[in-house]
Amino acid sequence: MTDIHRRHFNALLAGLGLAGATPALAEMASAEAPEIPQLGPNGWMPNNARLPVLLYRGVVNATGNDPASAYEAIFRRTSWPAQWRNGVYPFHHYHSTAHEVLGFAGGTARPMLGGPNGHEVKVNAGDIAVLPTGTGHCRLEASSDFLVVGAYPPDQTWDICREAPTPEMSARMVQLPFPSSDPVTGANGPLVSLWHLA
């Protein structure tokens, strides 16, 4: 890491209240620019034509006895409280009642985003995916040690939808409030600017 990146990174940590944090958090990468796939409707899968997916690569040094706790701490500090530890379902689904962040705490996997014949990605421990409401996702394959931490904005609880949305569900997804912060970098992160400009 160059000196300028180190200063930017240290300022970011201080802004998030992570200065002097645990080694796993201190090893957090600068998360400068996420990949931003934009997924439109795909058959019965609504996806979200207004809000892009954000894929952060290598955000956390996911090592140690409990790497999931590093993600839980990051999400807590950025106001995306973690709700579960598990994997990703092996069937296509989306959430109509919540935006979702997936912290990949262990192993590797190949999820499909956007529904059948959608956007296949490879994720590794250390990556984070932010999925706006309506975004289709499923696990195609995963290593035996694959572990995910799932989190959502305050006051949003997830549902599991496996068929086309009703008109009421579509209206709810359009009206779902934006989170006030990026789950990785906080109030001034890419999500805040990218989603609020949509």
Side-chain angles (χ1 to χ4, degrees):
M1 188 182 306
T2 66
D3 188 47
I4 189 73
H5 286 153
R6 189 177 319 278
R7 281 196 299 258
H8 171 74
F9 177 62
N10 288 337
L12 175 69
L13 284 178
L16 290 173
L18 299 178
T22 64
L25 291 175
E27 294 293 326
M28 213 172 103
S30 64
E32 289 179 18
E35 297 169 28
I36 49 172
Q38 186 76 52
L39 304 173
N42 177 13
W44 62 269
M45 190 65 69
N47 292 310
N48 199 311
R50 290 182 328 136
L51 307 177
V53 170
L54 304 178
L55 290 173
Y56 289 95
R57 301 298 189 167
V59 175
V60 175
N61 182 5
T63 59
N65 293 336
D66 187 15
S69 65
Y71 290 88
E72 291 164 347
I74 292 167
F75 298 156
R76 183 172 47 255
R77 285 182 176 89
T78 58
S79 298
W80 284 69
Q83 295 186 19
W84 53 264
R85 292 181 181 193
N86 202 335
V88 174
Y89 290 121
F91 51 82
H92 292 283
H93 67 286
Y94 64 95
H95 307 298
S96 72
T97 55
H99 304 294
E100 180 176 50
V101 61
L102 303 174
F104 302 106
T108 62
R110 276 190 320 114
M112 173 80 68
L113 302 177
N117 302 308
H119 183 75
E120 186 179 318
V121 296
K122 180 170 182 181
V123 294
N124 300 295
D127 295 346
I128 291 178
V130 186
L131 307 179
T133 184
T135 301
H137 51 293
C138 84
R139 181 190 78 236
L140 299 177
E141 68 178 31
S143 62
S144 61
D145 59 344
F146 184 55
L147 178 63
V148 181
V149 175
Y152 307 85
D155 302 321
Q156 293 185 13
T157 52
W158 53 278
D159 59 357
I160 296 177
C161 304
R162 298 184 66 185
E163 48 191 45
T166 64
E168 294 80 17
M169 293 166 70
S170 294
R172 179 175 55 232
M173 288 187 283
V174 169
Q175 309 254 337
L176 193 67
F178 291 149
S180 61
S181 70
D182 184 288
V184 177
T185 58
N188 296 316
L191 177 144
V192 177
S193 59
L194 290 169
W195 283 19
H196 287 257
L197 292 176

